[in-house]
């Protein structure tokens, strides 16, 4: 047979005497997951009420046009197609629901059969040939079948874990109570209306025409009395300032009193 150079049989390749297995065709792409026609939240789909609502019957089965009308055959054909669609919907839903029930019944029966077989195999005694050919061993050395492995000291570890959880919950509850108390103490300083906001702005940023805004004091309510922001060198040597030392002592004393009294001051 004369074949061209573009044909696969242009070069003869020796074949094996035994026939080769047919190659499995490679399917390109993936099939989509089929939609669940009868979900659990719609148990009324295979019922007559759902079918009548999905494909209601026409109110009038007779055509409104005469047989000699030019569109009579077309309207008659459309009416026939509508009847076929209603019939196909009814038969399709009922047959698919029956198919689903049958497949579910077969699956349950197959699962029960496998479960019963597994239970029978697990509970059956050893065979006679195994008993006769098994080496002589002490009964205490034979492996014991138990569902739960022994766990010595589990009760003690469980009790320790319960105590740790209770301590963590108590610490979390105490932190929550401290936060609520601190919020209650600081709530009296909250600004809740515009009048308080204006008063706070006047206190912190007073009018420059007021002679008290630049009195040269380091401490005070006015922001203009604080001077420029602190530098790194001033922060490093701020302990040399007597006023800073006094403020640090007062802050530490306040914290100590709060720890002793158990509340915010």
């Amino acid at each position: 047979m004369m074949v061209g150079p573009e044909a696969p049989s242009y070069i003869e390749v020796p074949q094996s005497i035994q026939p080769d297995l047919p190659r499995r065709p490679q399917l390109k792409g993936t099939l989509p997951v089929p939609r669940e026609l009868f979900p659990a939240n719609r148990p009324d789909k295979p019922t007559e009420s759902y079918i009548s609502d999905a494909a209601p019957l026409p109110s009038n089965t007779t055509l409104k046009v005469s047989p000699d009308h030019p569109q009579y055959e077309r309207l008659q054909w459309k009416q026939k197609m509508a009847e076929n669609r209603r019939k196909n919907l009814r038969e399709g839903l009922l047959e698919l629901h029956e198919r689903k029930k049958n497949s579910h019944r077969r699956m349950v029966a197959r699962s029960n059969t496998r479960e019963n077989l597994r239970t029978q195999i697990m509970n059956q005694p050893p065979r006679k040939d195994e008993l006769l050919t098994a080496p002589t061993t002490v009964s205490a050395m034979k492996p014991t079948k138990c569902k739960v492995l022994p766990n010595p000291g589990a009760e003690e570890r469980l009790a320790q874990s319960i105590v740790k959880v209770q301590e963590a919950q108590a610490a979390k509850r105490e932190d929550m109570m401290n936060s609520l108390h601190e919020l209650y103490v600081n709530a009296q300083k909250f600004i809740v209306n515009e009048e308080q906001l204006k008063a706070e702005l006047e206190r912190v940023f007073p009018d420059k025409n007021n002679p008290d805004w630049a009195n040269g004091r380091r401490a005070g309510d006015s922001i203009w009395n604080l001077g420029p922001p602190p530098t790194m060198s001033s922060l490093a040597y701020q302990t040399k300032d007597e006023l800073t030392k006094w403020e640090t002592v007062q802050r530490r004393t306040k914290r100590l009193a709060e720890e002793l009294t158990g509340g915010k001051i």
Side-chain angles (χ1 to χ4, degrees):
M1 182 177 61
M2 302 296 294
V3 294
E6 68 275 1
S9 301
Y10 182 72
I11 299 177
E12 294 184 1
V13 178
Q15 302 293 333
S16 60
I17 299 177
Q18 294 182 352
D20 297 333
L21 292 176
R23 181 174 297 179
R24 191 172 184 179
Q26 182 181 2
L27 299 178
K28 297 183 179 180
T30 57
L31 293 175
V33 179
R35 187 179 61 177
E36 180 63 36
L37 295 180
F38 304 98
N41 57 352
R42 291 302 303 270
D44 59 332
K45 292 193 73 174
T47 59
E48 292 293 335
S49 60
Y50 176 84
I51 297 175
S52 60
D53 293 339
L57 296 175
S59 58
N60 189 8
T61 57
T62 60
L63 296 178
K64 297 182 180 180
V65 297
S66 59
D68 56 350
H69 193 274
Q71 297 292 335
Y72 180 80
E73 295 182 358
R74 180 174 177 273
L75 295 176
Q76 189 178 14
W77 174 78
K78 291 182 65 176
Q79 184 179 12
K80 183 179 179 181
M81 290 297 102
E83 293 177 358
N84 290 337
R85 285 194 296 269
R86 283 191 292 268
K87 178 182 177 182
N88 294 336
L89 177 63
R90 177 185 300 273
E91 294 178 356
L93 282 177
L94 296 179
E95 291 180 4
L96 288 174
H97 187 255
E98 187 66 23
R99 185 190 301 177
K100 180 182 179 181
K101 291 194 299 183
N102 294 335
S103 61
H104 181 71
R105 193 182 304 112
R106 289 194 299 269
M107 181 181 64
V108 172
R110 191 162 53 247
S111 177
N112 293 337
T113 303
R114 292 178 179 176
E115 184 67 22
N116 296 334
L117 180 60
R118 178 182 178 276
T119 304
Q120 180 182 357
I121 294 174
M122 293 293 293
N123 297 330
Q124 69 182 359
R127 298 196 308 266
K128 190 174 182 180
D129 57 345
E130 293 182 357
L131 292 176
L132 295 176
T133 58
T136 304
T137 56
V138 183
S139 60
M141 298 177 60
K142 294 182 179 180
T144 57
K145 295 183 179 180
C146 57
K147 297 183 179 179
V148 181
L149 296 176
N151 188 9
E155 292 78 5
E156 298 179 359
R157 292 194 297 271
L158 179 60
Q160 294 177 1
S161 300
I162 293 175
V163 172
K164 290 182 180 179
V165 171
Q166 292 177 355
E167 292 178 354
Q169 292 179 353
K172 186 183 297 184
R173 192 180 303 108
E174 185 177 358
D175 294 340
M176 186 181 299
M177 295 301 296
N178 292 336
S179 300
L180 289 176
H181 186 266
E182 184 177 359
L183 179 63
Y184 175 77
V185 171
N186 296 330
Q188 58 185 352
K189 300 179 182 179
F190 290 171
I191 299 175
V192 296
N193 50 36
E194 294 184 2
E195 289 75 11
Q196 295 179 358
L197 178 60
K198 292 180 181 179
E200 183 67 17
L201 291 176
E202 290 295 335
R203 183 184 66 83
V204 179
F205 299 98
D207 188 7
K208 292 185 178 181
N209 297 325
N210 189 357
D212 295 335
W213 77 275
N215 52 13
R217 294 185 297 114
R218 184 177 182 276
D221 296 336
S222 176
I223 195 65
W224 310 110
N225 296 330
L226 300 180
T231 60
M232 293 300 296
S233 59
S234 62
L235 291 176
Y237 299 99
Q238 64 179 355
T239 55
K240 296 182 179 180
D241 192 356
E242 295 295 333
L243 182 58
T244 304
K245 293 180 180 180
W246 183 82
E247 291 177 353
T248 304
V249 171
Q250 293 297 323
R251 185 168 59 255
R252 292 176 179 176
T253 304
K254 182 179 179 180
R255 290 182 58 185
L256 181 60
E258 290 177 353
E259 292 293 335
L260 293 176
T261 56
K264 294 292 181 179
I265 299 178

